[in-house]
Amino acid sequence: MQDSVTFRFRLTLSFWLLLLFAAILPSWYLCHRLYAEIRAEAKENAVLQLRFVLALMDRRPEAVQDLEHLQNWLAETGGRFNARLTYIGRNGDVLCDSHVPSAAIPNLDSFSGRPEFTQAMEHGTGTDIRKGRFDVRLQVFAAQPIPGGGAAPPAVLRVAVPAPHALELLNGLYANYLYLLAAALIVTFFLARFLSNLIRRSAEAVSRITRAVVEDDYAQRVRFHPAHEFYPLGTSVDEMTRHIAGTVQWITEEKHKLEAVLNGMQEGVMVLDAACRIQIVNRALSGVIPDAAFSLGRRPLEVLVNLELHDACLQVLSAGGEAPATPHFLQIEIGRDRVFDVTIARLDDEDGNPGAIVVFHDISNLKRLERVRQDFVANVSHELRTPLTSIKGYAETLLSDPKPDLQTEHSFLQVILKNTNHMVKMVDDLLQLARLEARAEPLKPQPVNPSDALAAAWKACFSLAEPKRVRLEDLLPKDEIRVSADYGQLVQVFRNLLENGIRYSPQESVLEVSCKVEGGKVVFSIHDNGPGIAKQHQRRVFERFYRVEKHRGTLAGSTGLGLSICRHIVENYRGRIWVRSPDPGSGGGTTFQFSLPGSDAPQDRHESEGSGHIA
Ligand code: ADP
């Protein structure tokens, strides 16, 4: 509004100045010059006419011998020249007048105050242009003193002739000049107002479109009529809007493509600007940075709390122009167990401003597998070392000099055999575990009667149970239940659990095996009265080589792999295995439980549950 008022004021002022310099001043000057010229010429003509009358008067002395004759001569001559001739005494009293009868002359006012009379008296000739009291038209007066003659006293002769029409017109123009000027000013004021409104409306139409473009609305158009003054401006704005809309759409599509590529990447990606502030993060990085959405505009150090990474980013950003060719590599640890290979590459924009792209490649799994492999090698070496050392010792003793007696030799060979058997079992267990982990043999789940499998397993453990007089209490239904598994592998699970039960049970105790059906699965329980397993060990006993107490490892046949094998078999058949045990010493013993699907459950091979676990 303020702008439009200012614009209107400026437009009005411009119009007025234009009016002043283009019309008022020239016209005023022209009128003034014309007026002065015409006046001077009219006065000159009147003086000439006056002189002409005086010349006539000189040639007709009889006409001015007395005032009566003079009156008649003036009336006749004035009528002929269309001029008023007045004979004025030197005191200003009118003596004769061509246009006034003799009887009325004494009633006339004194002419002593008339400008032409006073000028004539003072300078010899006097002129004036004005409207007489009874005149309709403007009159030109000229007066000159004359000596008189005969009965006519010395006097001043005055001629009054009508002024030229042009002078009359100019006089009228002068009188109305101010009104004309005021009218012109008012008209130009309203013209400026009208024009400014017109321009404002057109400007508003254009600014409405630009505002819409700012608010991402590209559908609006100016739509001026082709006859409109601003039609070319309107079409240009429309064209510009269409162009911007096209460009924005292209940029949006490109952005979506880039986002799709970035978000489809498994690697986390972060883009940094010249000030080392995060500009873009992809979806994969959300798994690394908890509040990835809030990380924009912050520095890597603030969101990942890793000084090494931060320094590397700064180093890449501050490097010279050759930096883009040499990406920076480093390995960082985020959180407790996540390890990333990080690549930082320089990425300058079109204007040469430096930027960087940081790619996070998660190698936590590789690292974990590496650790597992190292642990495995260490464990196997450790497990084999004890029996091997023993074998070596006894073999050396047997070969030493003097040789031991036969009985000692026999007992030594027994020890060597026992250790060898232990190593053979361990190698067998390891091979079986490797096969289970690799799923080398295809799973062929079949309906298996668990009671048969338990009987077979117990038979295999009998030699272990007999010396301790441990009894089996088989509470499984004989024929009603079938589970979906492999018979041989189910026997193996029962056997491992029974062997542990026998191994850790006291003499003459009872091993109880029962089952229940829960939600389509059969849950088996193998309970013994042994020492039990403390809470903190319960999850870990299923790991390879894990033993609760180290001295238990010396028990015959203990490899630390049995429960791990059980877990792999059960999980391969979509089951689960766990242990329940009150605190050791409380006399509660240990209960191992595992679940397997009933044989009417779907037989498809299950890949996800527990398949990735390596104990
Ligand atoms: P091992 O061959 O040593 O028995 P397992 O994997 O079968 O290996 O068992 C791992 C460990 O779990 C054993 O060393 C033992 O410490 C503990 N354990 C297993 N079964 C029992 C049980 N019935 N009672 C007490 N501890 C047990």
Side-chain angles (χ1 to χ4, degrees):
M1 189 65 196
Q2 181 71 33
D3 280 353
S4 114
V5 170
T6 317
F7 175 69
R8 190 185 302 163
F9 173 72
R10 273 185 278 167
L11 198 65
T12 310
L13 199 69
S14 309
F15 276 0
W16 285 353
L17 286 175
L18 196 70
L19 201 68
L20 180 71
F21 289 106
I24 297 174
L25 285 181
S27 70
W28 186 84
Y29 176 73
L30 197 73
C31 286
H32 186 71
R33 284 296 305 273
L34 217 60
Y35 185 66
E37 286 291 325
I38 295 172
R39 264 177 80 92
E41 204 175 303
K43 280 182 181 175
E44 221 171 281
N45 283 342
V47 171
L48 283 176
Q49 235 168 325
L50 174 67
R51 291 199 179 134
F52 186 62
V53 171
L54 285 173
L56 283 179
M57 200 181 261
D58 281 347
R59 287 170 62 185
R60 297 280 306 273
E62 75 281 357
V64 292
Q65 57 188 287
D66 57 36
L67 288 176
E68 201 183 326
H69 279 90
L70 185 62
Q71 173 70 21
N72 291 338
W73 186 83
L74 287 180
E76 186 197 327
T77 312
R80 202 182 301 160
F81 292 110
N82 188 26
R84 182 181 168 187
L85 302 172
T86 312
Y87 197 79
I88 310 160
R90 292 281 168 102
N91 60 351
D93 290 343
V94 177
L95 302 175
C96 296
D97 193 303
S98 61
H99 283 57
V100 181
S102 307
I105 286 179
N107 301 333
L108 291 176
D109 292 340
S110 165
F111 277 26
S112 60
R114 300 288 197 273
E116 66 280 6
F117 177 80
T118 45
Q119 281 173 33
M121 290 299 289
E122 280 170 25
H123 307 295
T125 307
T127 55
D128 192 27
I129 297 176
R130 66 172 185 278
K131 210 179 244 185
R133 201 181 299 167
F134 304 107
D135 295 327
V136 184
R137 286 186 58 185
L138 206 60
Q139 301 291 314
V140 185
F141 298 94
Q144 191 175 321
I146 52 172
V156 171
L157 183 67
R158 188 189 82 166
V159 174
V161 288
H165 269 293
L167 191 67
E168 198 119 38
L169 270 175
L170 281 175
N171 218 25
L173 200 67
Y174 265 127
N176 293 315
Y177 199 80
L178 278 178
Y179 295 112
L180 284 173
L181 190 66
L185 291 179
I186 290 168
V187 166
T188 46
F189 171 77
F190 281 106
L191 191 66
R193 193 187 164 89
F194 170 73
L195 281 178
S196 83
N197 281 348
L198 207 68
I199 293 168
R200 199 191 67 218
R201 271 200 297 277
S202 305
E204 269 174 5
V206 174
S207 86
R208 184 168 45 79
I209 303 306
T210 49
R211 266 203 307 276
V213 169
V214 169
E215 285 160 14
D216 296 336
D217 177 4
Y218 307 106
Q220 306 277 337
R221 294 286 177 270
V222 180
R223 290 201 183 91
F224 282 145
H225 190 271
H228 195 280
E229 304 80 12
F230 292 111
Y231 180 72
L233 175 68
T235 46
S236 300
V237 170
D238 285 351
E239 212 167 292
M240 187 188 73
T241 311
R242 262 193 296 275
H243 184 73
I244 291 175
T247 310
V248 167
Q249 193 186 349
W250 180 77
I251 291 171
T252 310
E253 279 170 13
E254 290 300 306
K255 191 173 163 243
H256 285 162
K257 277 186 215 162
L258 187 70
E259 272 174 8
V261 171
L262 274 178
N263 289 332
M265 284 173 71
Q266 278 191 340
E267 287 81 10
V269 178
M270 175 190 277
V271 178
L272 303 174
D273 64 8
C276 197
R277 298 207 176 270
I278 300 169
Q279 296 300 303
I280 301 172
V281 288
N282 74 342
R283 199 172 293 152
L285 206 65
S286 312
V288 184
I289 305 173
D291 288 324
F294 297 106
S295 64
L296 299 182
R298 293 158 74 189
R299 285 161 175 260
L301 183 64
E302 295 170 54
V303 292
L304 287 170
V305 199
N306 190 299
L307 194 61
E308 197 188 348
L309 173 71
H310 186 75
D311 287 346
C313 291
L314 288 178
Q315 199 183 324
V316 169
L317 284 170
S318 59
E322 73 285 355
T326 52
H328 198 103
F329 299 100
L330 75 156
Q331 204 169 79
I332 60 166
E333 209 164 314
I334 297 172
R336 243 194 279 156
D337 53 359
R338 302 199 66 181
V339 185
F340 291 87
D341 262 348
V342 181
T343 309
I344 309 169
R346 176 83 170 253
L347 190 76
D348 294 0
D349 67 12
E350 281 177 0
D351 300 330
N353 298 319
I357 180 160
V358 188
V359 180
F360 295 79
H361 184 69
D362 192 346
I363 54 162
S364 313
N365 262 344
L366 277 177
K367 283 278 168 189
R368 199 172 60 80
L369 288 174
E370 173 85 351
R371 247 192 332 269
V372 168
R373 194 185 61 78
Q374 282 168 356
D375 289 354
F376 177 75
V377 172
N379 278 328
V380 171
S381 317
H382 178 76
E383 291 294 330
L384 291 177
R385 174 182 287 264
T386 316
L388 276 174
T389 312
S390 169
I391 290 169
K392 184 174 179 258
Y394 282 106
E396 280 171 355
T397 314
L398 284 172
L399 291 172
S400 65
D401 210 21
K403 287 199 181 299
D405 57 51
L406 262 179
Q407 201 183 344
T408 315
E409 197 178 280
H410 185 260
S411 71
F412 281 11
L413 286 170
Q414 286 283 356
V415 175
I416 288 173
L417 182 63
K418 194 186 105 189
N419 280 309
T420 311
N421 283 339
H422 180 76
M423 288 195 298
V424 169
K425 186 174 185 311
M426 184 179 291
V427 171
D428 283 349
D429 282 357
L430 280 171
L431 281 174
Q432 190 180 3
L433 207 52
R435 273 200 301 275
L436 286 169
E437 278 174 10
R439 298 244 178 110
E441 292 148 18
L443 293 179
K444 288 186 199 130
Q446 283 172 353
V448 177
N449 184 350
S451 182
D452 291 350
L454 178 66
W458 180 249
K459 209 170 156 192
C461 306
F462 195 70
S463 58
L464 204 64
E466 175 78 80
K468 289 180 84 174
R469 288 196 293 281
V470 174
R471 229 168 19 84
L472 172 72
E473 188 151 332
D474 178 2
L475 300 176
L476 298 186
K478 287 293 152 246
D479 212 23
E480 292 93 80
I481 292 181
R482 296 283 183 278
V483 289
S484 177
D486 175 81
Y487 176 79
Q489 292 190 346
L490 183 59
V491 171
Q492 173 85 58
V493 173
F494 274 129
R495 187 180 165 181
N496 285 0
L497 294 174
L498 288 174
E499 274 180 3
N500 279 350
I502 296 165
R503 209 174 284 140
Y504 299 112
S505 288
Q507 293 275 341
E508 295 182 13
S509 59
V510 177
L511 277 179
E512 191 184 287
V513 180
S514 60
C515 76
K516 60 183 175 183
V517 178
E518 262 179 16
K521 293 206 169 182
V522 183
V523 179
F524 297 94
S525 303
I526 295 94
H527 175 76
D528 65 52
N529 294 304
I533 301 173
K535 279 266 176 299
Q536 70 270 25
H537 300 298
Q538 286 182 8
R539 274 179 72 85
R540 300 204 61 194
V541 289
F542 298 99
E543 292 173 15
R544 282 185 301 201
F545 299 115
Y546 189 84
R547 294 190 184 91
V548 174
E549 291 152 18
K550 294 302 160 203
H551 77 274
R552 289 189 191 178
T554 60
L555 288 174
S558 167
T559 60
L561 297 170
L563 287 177
S564 183
I565 291 172
C566 289
R567 185 179 129 182
H568 275 86
I569 293 174
V570 169
E571 286 181 351
N572 277 354
Y573 290 99
R574 299 173 59 196
R576 209 164 64 79
I577 185 165
W578 65 98
V579 62
R580 287 182 198 283
S581 176
D583 282 339
S586 64
T590 308
T591 306
F592 276 97
Q593 291 186 302
F594 67 94
S595 65
L596 283 173
S599 72
D600 52 344
Q603 304 282 304
D604 61 310
R605 189 169 159 177
H606 180 75
E607 294 292 341
S608 64
E609 198 176 340
S611 58
H613 293 284
I614 303 165

